[in-house]
Amino acid sequence: MRNCNNCDYGSYGLDCETGVETLYCRESEYEHEVNPNDICDEHQFIDGLSNEKNYVLYDESYFGKGYFIIHTINGNIDKFLKIYITNDIGFPNYGIRAFSVNGKDKPEEEFNKIEFIFRSNEDFNNGLFEAFSKFSNNASKEIHTIDKIEQGRNNISVIANKHIVKITFSKDIYHGKQHSTDFIDINLGDNYSCENYEAIYALYNTLMKLCHQTATKEDIKKILTLKAK
């Protein structure tokens, strides 16, 4: 599980008089006491103890040619994003769809958000931490869809440090002509319409180099049958 008890920054202190062990976190500048069952969303975790995983699949059947980044919990798909090419002529036009089983629109909220976090420990061997670290260095901190009439202020925000990269997809619930959905679409555009084109182009090509697995019919079936709670 991803909690303070499995965090790489945690350490126990023993009170010799009472025999009580207390967990401390040293992730920040000052060590502080934490609850072992608290969730460490942005921390590192002891190798092998996290039940979450990210991996990449190539696919041509869902929207078009592109790459799924799939997040699982205990082997079950929890969320995914797919970056894909929407045209076959000229400079590629890129789009991204993000989905989460916990990503159903809530009418009382202005934005629906889906987050992906890539960690230097967990996502080192699969190449995703390095890929999105480079993306965070090259792209704007916030990237808006170019299709604002249809999708309102849908956007992607990028936050990174030396240990994690957090990618947040935001769906504008109040504006545009969108219906209630369990996914978030971002139209990134081509080199004429997208100011972050070079960063997106580089990310897509990095995924091309590190991906060695193609989605099967069974993989796509699992994705298509996912429903938001």
Side-chain angles (χ1 to χ4, degrees), residues 65-83:
K65 296 179 181 179
Y67 296 89
F68 280 109
I69 296 173
I70 295 176
H71 177 267
T72 62
I73 299 178
N74 292 322
N76 298 313
I77 299 175
D78 171 58
K79 54 190 172 184
F80 69 82
L81 67 86
K82 184 177 182 182
I83 177 170

